[in-house]
Amino acid sequence: VMLGSRQVVLGFVLIVAALGASAEDGNQAEQKPSKVKVLTDDNFEHLTQSVTGATTGDWFVEFYAPWCGHCKRLDEPWNKLAEQMAEDKDAGEPVAIIAKVDATIERYLSGRFKIKGFPSLLMFSKGQMITYQGDRSYDDLLVFVKGGFRKVGGEPVPKGTKEMGALEQAWNMFDVTIKRDMDSIWEFHKAAFFLSLGVTLFIGLMLGYCLFGGKKAVKGKQN
């Protein structure tokens, strides 16, 4: 009798395990590969052509951090948006490409686009960068990506050092180092600047008087 009970229990465990495996296989079958493009420091400019906007069309990019709660809540509408864009593209409609960047890993892009909060959503279109500031619901995102972004003011896409020519890199180095230091000194030491300017002017006048005024006085006495 004891042996029969053990067999019954073992059989029950095997059945439960089989059902669990079947359910897991079903869930995996239901999961579709994401339509969201993954961008990195290495492939971003090659794929998007963001500076020129000349070849690959518009890109709507999410800069996220894996630990960010707001980013996790955006996953569902963001993936749904990418699927809708794929369907519209198959139907022959002009669409934007939906993409994402892990800003905690791709530090070059984070610095280039001055990413300071998560998620940051940027539209790149024809050499312009438009920051999305609306609600993160699917409906609002869809309105924006379908053309609403054209009603929002943008700015030229900033270049990183990799996208700059030699002269641009030289100017950028000057701007980042010497010019900013000079601006900082001017901002915080205006009083010292004008004081030193005044002292220099006063000394110059005194020297001029001593050199030329003294000579005139000597000539007057001689006459």
Coordinates of all heavy atoms in Angstrom, one line a residue, residues 59-95:
W59 N 13.7 59.0 -36.9 CA 13.9 58.0 -35.8 C 13.4 58.6 -34.5 O 13.7 59.8 -34.1 CB 15.4 57.7 -35.6 CG 16.0 56.9 -36.7 CD1 16.2 57.2 -38.0 CD2 16.4 55.5 -36.6 NE1 16.7 56.2 -38.7 CE2 16.9 55.1 -37.9 CE3 16.4 54.6 -35.6 CZ2 17.4 53.8 -38.1 CZ3 16.9 53.3 -35.8 CH2 17.4 52.9 -37.1
F60 N 12.6 57.8 -33.8 CA 12.1 58.2 -32.5 C 12.8 57.3 -31.4 O 12.6 56.1 -31.4 CB 10.6 58.0 -32.4 CG 9.9 58.7 -31.3 CD1 10.5 59.7 -30.6 CD2 8.6 58.3 -30.9 CE1 9.9 60.4 -29.5 CE2 8.0 59.0 -29.9 CZ 8.6 60.0 -29.2
V61 N 13.6 57.9 -30.6 CA 14.6 57.2 -29.8 C 14.3 57.4 -28.3 O 14.2 58.5 -27.9 CB 16.0 57.5 -30.1 CG1 17.0 56.7 -29.4 CG2 16.3 57.4 -31.6
E62 N 14.3 56.3 -27.6 CA 14.2 56.4 -26.1 C 15.5 56.1 -25.5 O 16.2 55.1 -25.8 CB 13.2 55.3 -25.6 CG 13.2 55.2 -24.1 CD 12.6 53.9 -23.5 OE1 12.3 53.0 -24.3 OE2 12.5 53.8 -22.3
F63 N 16.0 57.1 -24.7 CA 17.2 56.9 -23.9 C 16.7 56.5 -22.5 O 16.0 57.2 -21.8 CB 18.0 58.2 -23.8 CG 18.6 58.6 -25.1 CD1 17.9 59.2 -26.1 CD2 19.9 58.2 -25.4 CE1 18.4 59.5 -27.3 CE2 20.5 58.6 -26.6 CZ 19.8 59.2 -27.6
Y64 N 17.1 55.3 -22.0 CA 16.6 54.7 -20.8 C 17.7 54.2 -19.9 O 18.8 54.0 -20.3 CB 15.6 53.6 -21.1 CG 16.3 52.3 -21.6 CD1 16.5 51.2 -20.8 CD2 16.7 52.1 -23.0 CE1 17.2 50.1 -21.2 CE2 17.3 51.0 -23.4 CZ 17.5 50.0 -22.5 OH 18.2 48.8 -23.0
A65 N 17.3 53.9 -18.7 CA 18.1 53.2 -17.7 C 17.4 51.9 -17.3 O 16.2 52.0 -17.0 CB 18.5 54.1 -16.5
P66 N 18.1 50.8 -17.2 CA 17.4 49.5 -16.8 C 16.7 49.6 -15.5 O 15.7 48.9 -15.3 CB 18.5 48.5 -16.9 CG 19.5 49.1 -17.8 CD 19.5 50.6 -17.6
W67 N 17.2 50.4 -14.5 CA 16.7 50.4 -13.2 C 15.5 51.4 -13.1 O 14.9 51.5 -12.0 CB 17.8 50.8 -12.2 CG 18.6 51.9 -12.6 CD1 19.9 51.8 -13.2 CD2 18.3 53.3 -12.6 NE1 20.4 53.1 -13.5 CE2 19.5 54.0 -13.1 CE3 17.2 54.1 -12.2 CZ2 19.5 55.4 -13.2 CZ3 17.3 55.5 -12.3 CH2 18.4 56.1 -12.8
C68 N 15.3 52.2 -14.1 CA 14.3 53.3 -14.0 C 12.8 52.7 -14.1 O 12.5 52.1 -15.1 CB 14.5 54.2 -15.2 SG 13.2 55.4 -15.5
G69 N 12.0 53.0 -13.1 CA 10.6 52.6 -13.1 C 9.8 53.2 -14.2 O 9.0 52.5 -14.8
H70 N 10.0 54.4 -14.5 CA 9.2 55.1 -15.6 C 9.6 54.4 -16.9 O 8.7 54.3 -17.8 CB 9.6 56.6 -15.6 CG 9.1 57.3 -14.4 ND1 7.8 57.5 -14.1 CD2 9.8 58.0 -13.5 CE1 7.7 58.2 -13.0 NE2 8.9 58.5 -12.6
C71 N 10.8 54.0 -17.1 CA 11.3 53.4 -18.3 C 10.6 52.0 -18.4 O 10.2 51.6 -19.5 CB 12.8 53.2 -18.3 SG 13.7 54.7 -18.2
K72 N 10.5 51.3 -17.3 CA 9.9 49.9 -17.4 C 8.4 50.1 -17.7 O 7.8 49.2 -18.5 CB 10.0 49.3 -16.0 CG 11.5 48.9 -15.7 CD 11.6 48.3 -14.3 CE 13.1 47.9 -14.0 NZ 13.2 47.4 -12.6
R73 N 7.7 51.1 -17.2 CA 6.3 51.3 -17.5 C 6.1 51.7 -19.0 O 5.0 51.5 -19.6 CB 5.7 52.3 -16.6 CG 5.4 51.8 -15.2 CD 4.6 52.8 -14.4 NE 5.4 54.0 -14.0 CZ 6.2 54.0 -12.9 NH1 6.3 53.0 -12.1 NH2 6.8 55.1 -12.6
L74 N 7.2 52.3 -19.6 CA 7.1 52.7 -21.0 C 7.3 51.5 -21.9 O 6.9 51.7 -23.1 CB 8.1 53.8 -21.3 CG 8.2 54.4 -22.7 CD1 6.9 55.1 -23.0 CD2 9.4 55.4 -22.8
D75 N 7.8 50.4 -21.5 CA 8.1 49.3 -22.4 C 6.9 48.9 -23.2 O 7.0 48.7 -24.4 CB 8.6 48.1 -21.5 CG 10.1 48.2 -21.1 OD1 10.7 49.1 -21.7 OD2 10.5 47.5 -20.2
E76 N 5.7 48.7 -22.6 CA 4.6 48.2 -23.3 C 4.1 49.2 -24.4 O 4.0 48.8 -25.6 CB 3.4 47.9 -22.3 CG 2.2 47.3 -23.0 CD 1.1 47.0 -22.0 OE1 1.3 47.0 -20.8 OE2 -0.1 46.8 -22.5
P77 N 3.9 50.5 -24.1 CA 3.5 51.4 -25.2 C 4.6 51.6 -26.2 O 4.3 51.8 -27.4 CB 3.1 52.7 -24.4 CG 3.8 52.6 -23.1 CD 3.8 51.1 -22.8
W78 N 5.8 51.5 -25.8 CA 6.9 51.7 -26.8 C 7.0 50.5 -27.7 O 7.2 50.7 -29.0 CB 8.2 51.9 -26.0 CG 9.3 52.5 -26.8 CD1 10.5 51.9 -27.2 CD2 9.4 53.9 -27.2 NE1 11.2 52.9 -27.9 CE2 10.6 54.1 -27.9 CE3 8.5 55.0 -27.1 CZ2 10.9 55.3 -28.5 CZ3 8.9 56.2 -27.6 CH2 10.1 56.3 -28.3
N79 N 6.9 49.3 -27.2 CA 6.9 48.1 -28.1 C 5.6 48.1 -29.0 O 5.7 47.8 -30.2 CB 6.9 46.9 -27.3 CG 8.3 46.5 -26.8 OD1 9.2 46.1 -27.6 ND2 8.5 46.7 -25.5
K80 N 4.5 48.5 -28.5 CA 3.3 48.6 -29.3 C 3.4 49.6 -30.4 O 2.9 49.4 -31.5 CB 2.1 49.0 -28.4 CG 0.7 48.9 -29.0 CD -0.4 49.2 -28.1 CE -1.8 49.3 -28.7 NZ -2.9 49.6 -27.8
L81 N 4.0 50.8 -30.1 CA 4.3 51.8 -31.1 C 5.2 51.3 -32.2 O 4.9 51.5 -33.4 CB 4.9 53.0 -30.4 CG 5.1 54.3 -31.2 CD1 3.8 54.9 -31.6 CD2 5.9 55.3 -30.5
A82 N 6.2 50.5 -31.8 CA 7.1 50.0 -32.8 C 6.4 49.0 -33.7 O 6.6 49.0 -35.0 CB 8.3 49.3 -32.1
E83 N 5.5 48.2 -33.2 CA 4.7 47.2 -33.9 C 3.8 48.0 -34.9 O 3.6 47.6 -36.1 CB 3.9 46.3 -33.0 CG 4.7 45.3 -32.2 CD 3.9 44.6 -31.2 OE1 2.7 44.7 -31.2 OE2 4.5 43.8 -30.4
Q84 N 3.2 49.1 -34.4 CA 2.3 49.8 -35.3 C 3.0 50.5 -36.5 O 2.6 50.5 -37.6 CB 1.6 50.9 -34.5 CG 0.5 51.7 -35.3 CD -0.6 50.8 -35.8 OE1 -1.2 50.1 -35.0 NE2 -0.9 50.9 -37.1
M85 N 4.2 51.0 -36.2 CA 5.0 51.5 -37.3 C 5.4 50.5 -38.3 O 5.5 50.8 -39.5 CB 6.3 52.2 -36.7 CG 6.0 53.4 -35.8 SD 5.2 54.8 -36.7 CE 3.5 54.6 -36.2
A86 N 5.7 49.3 -37.8 CA 6.0 48.2 -38.7 C 4.9 47.8 -39.6 O 5.0 47.6 -40.8 CB 6.5 47.0 -37.9
E87 N 3.7 47.8 -39.0 CA 2.5 47.5 -39.8 C 2.2 48.6 -40.9 O 1.9 48.3 -42.0 CB 1.3 47.4 -38.9 CG 1.3 46.1 -38.0 CD 0.1 46.1 -37.1 OE1 -0.8 46.9 -37.3 OE2 0.1 45.2 -36.2
D88 N 2.4 49.9 -40.4 CA 2.2 51.0 -41.4 C 3.2 51.0 -42.5 O 2.9 51.3 -43.6 CB 2.3 52.3 -40.6 CG 1.1 52.5 -39.6 OD1 0.1 51.8 -39.7 OD2 1.2 53.4 -38.8
K89 N 4.4 50.6 -42.2 CA 5.4 50.5 -43.2 C 5.1 49.4 -44.2 O 5.3 49.6 -45.4 CB 6.8 50.2 -42.6 CG 7.9 50.2 -43.6 CD 9.3 49.9 -42.9 CE 10.4 49.8 -43.9 NZ 11.7 49.5 -43.2
D90 N 4.6 48.3 -43.7 CA 4.2 47.2 -44.7 C 3.0 47.6 -45.6 O 2.9 47.2 -46.7 CB 3.8 46.0 -43.9 CG 5.0 45.3 -43.2 OD1 6.1 45.6 -43.6 OD2 4.8 44.5 -42.2
A91 N 2.2 48.6 -45.0 CA 1.1 49.1 -45.8 C 1.5 50.2 -46.8 O 0.7 50.8 -47.5 CB 0.0 49.6 -44.9
G92 N 2.8 50.5 -46.8 CA 3.3 51.5 -47.7 C 3.3 53.0 -47.2 O 3.5 53.9 -47.9
E93 N 3.0 53.1 -45.9 CA 3.0 54.5 -45.3 C 4.4 54.9 -44.8 O 5.2 54.1 -44.4 CB 2.1 54.5 -44.1 CG 0.6 54.3 -44.4 CD -0.3 54.4 -43.2 OE1 0.1 55.1 -42.3 OE2 -1.3 53.7 -43.2
P94 N 4.7 56.2 -45.0 CA 6.0 56.7 -44.4 C 5.9 56.7 -42.9 O 5.0 57.2 -42.3 CB 6.1 58.1 -45.0 CG 4.7 58.5 -45.3 CD 4.0 57.3 -45.6
V95 N 6.9 56.1 -42.3 CA 6.9 56.0 -40.8 C 8.2 56.3 -40.2 O 9.2 56.3 -40.9 CB 6.4 54.6 -40.4 CG1 5.1 54.2 -40.9 CG2 7.5 53.5 -40.8

